[in-house]
Amino acid sequence: MAAPADPTPAGRSEAGGRRVMVVWCPDWPVVAAALQHELSLDAPLAVVERGEVFACSAAARAEGVKRGMRRRDASARCPELVVVDRVPEVETRSFDAVLAAVEEVSAGVAPVKPGLCALTVPSRFYGGEAAAAAAVAEHLVALGVWDCRTGVADGIFAAEQAARRAATQDCTVVPAGGSAAFLAPLPVGALEDAELVSLLRRLGLRTLGDFAALPARDVLTRFGSSGAWLHRLARGVDDRTAVSRQVPPELEQRVAFEPPLETIEPIVFSSRRTAERTVTELARHGLVCTEVRVVVTTEGGWSGSRVWLHARWFSTADLVDRLYWQLQGDPAPDPVCEVRFVPEAVESMADHGEGLWGSAADERVERGVARLQGMLGPEEVLAPAVQGGRGPRERQSLTPWGERAVSSRPAGLPWPGSIPPPAPARVFREPQSALVTGVDGRPVAVTERGLVTGEPTLFTVDRMAPPTQVQAWAGPWPIDELWWDPAQARRVARFQVVGVDGSAWLLVVEDGRWWCEARYD
């Protein structure tokens, strides 16, 4: 006997809306970190953020590691645990491969977050919702994503909950019009709103069905618009649609040499057209490249790669120069068979265009400095920048011209013990020997409690010159650094001293010896 025909059209719910499929890749932060660091997912692995476990692998969970656990407690629970810091950009970038694989099944893919995406169910083409889900799983397994789960329902929220309750490489299909019944027994924790979930539990509402049974008007009055929206989701009323993402353009350009080239000049000359095509293709999309990766591959399998940054944006000549510098600094051991220009960071052309009154950077200056780098080497022309630190020398950061200053000491953080503004105008490369004496002619010192043993009266920053009388002074600013490490511990104190001749200096005393670090001009 034939089965009764489905009264609803393929791919549509009873209400007439499009059915939604959600694809969930569990523990995606762990998967992305394992791909980046070439780690095995079978090993206990944890991704931490702000000192707490953000996600962990199945092997780590088997040892008792849980999300939200402190890093120290997780390592104590599992001594073999491999801990990796979370990098959200890596998770997003690696998930693009999953989106591309799903787009081979259905063009309308909407990324919800890394590890989770939604799409309109292509059931008519594949002969049913379960068959469409099987096609998605097949593409992801071929990509190497073994743990993928799908859910199909009338809305994104119900489909996501269905996917989270599916087996590996399997699909949970919620019947059309059955989202409310499917969601009713689920715990309120599925709403992922910690404050609201805690309040609902204190009120005795344990399941989504309990929450959905409340009158909508009372929920809006008590919990506001956000609570009202979550109440609609709990009732299975989710009118969000899976809006397809805009597929990013293919920005990478490459040139192959047949036969392979051995010397630098022919390689650079033959790559000029490719560099020009890179800039032109970006301009066609209204973009400019501010960070590019140049990859050189030889016929022997050797690959040289370096990321180059630009203070403004890369032109064709800039790309050619970077390739030339890279081949000079890291010569290929074999004949080169391929060169690739891979834009790592692109920005809108409108943000870098010249202003109405010529406010953009002078291109002649950029080209002049680039030419100087070509003669001396990219690492020999440096640009200063300010970073965090307590002393004036610590706050200096030198970066190759054209590259963004990357510092591990942010300047915006508080630095206890640092001198107040204004900063000294001239910082000496090496501190100069100095001496500060009191009224009794003995050197002034600073005790362990930060107290001055005497009032500074005379000082000298040049042992060959006579002492200068102190007109005004400020300080001390004591610093006790790395006191827990006897080998690197430092106890210093800084003073601002002004002489009667009008000169102003930044002096520092350490272990009873005085030094001059900088001068205020």
Side-chain angles (χ1 to χ4, degrees), residues 338-360:
E338 185 184 66
V339 170
R340 290 189 294 144
F341 296 102
V342 185
E344 294 282 332
V346 295
E347 299 178 13
S348 173
M349 185 181 294
D351 297 335
H352 291 266
E354 187 162 341
L356 180 62
W357 311 110
S359 58

Side-chain angles (χ1 to χ4, degrees), residues 322-401:
R322 269 53 174 190
L323 174 60
Y324 181 77
W325 298 344
Q326 182 168 323
L327 291 173
Q328 277 193 324
D330 189 15
D334 306 313
V336 175
C337 62
E338 185 184 66
V339 170
R340 290 189 294 144
F341 296 102
V342 185
E344 294 282 332
V346 295
E347 299 178 13
S348 173
M349 185 181 294
D351 297 335
H352 291 266
E354 187 162 341
L356 180 62
W357 311 110
S359 58
D362 193 336
E363 186 176 354
R364 292 174 298 178
V365 175
E366 297 282 350
R367 294 301 305 157
V369 175
R371 186 178 298 276
L372 188 60
Q373 282 183 308
M375 293 186 294
L376 302 178
E379 309 294 340
E380 299 300 325
V381 182
L382 306 177
V386 177
Q387 62 181 357
R390 297 179 176 87
R393 286 193 302 163
E394 297 174 358
R395 300 191 63 193
Q396 292 181 338
S397 174
L398 296 177
T399 307
W401 174 270

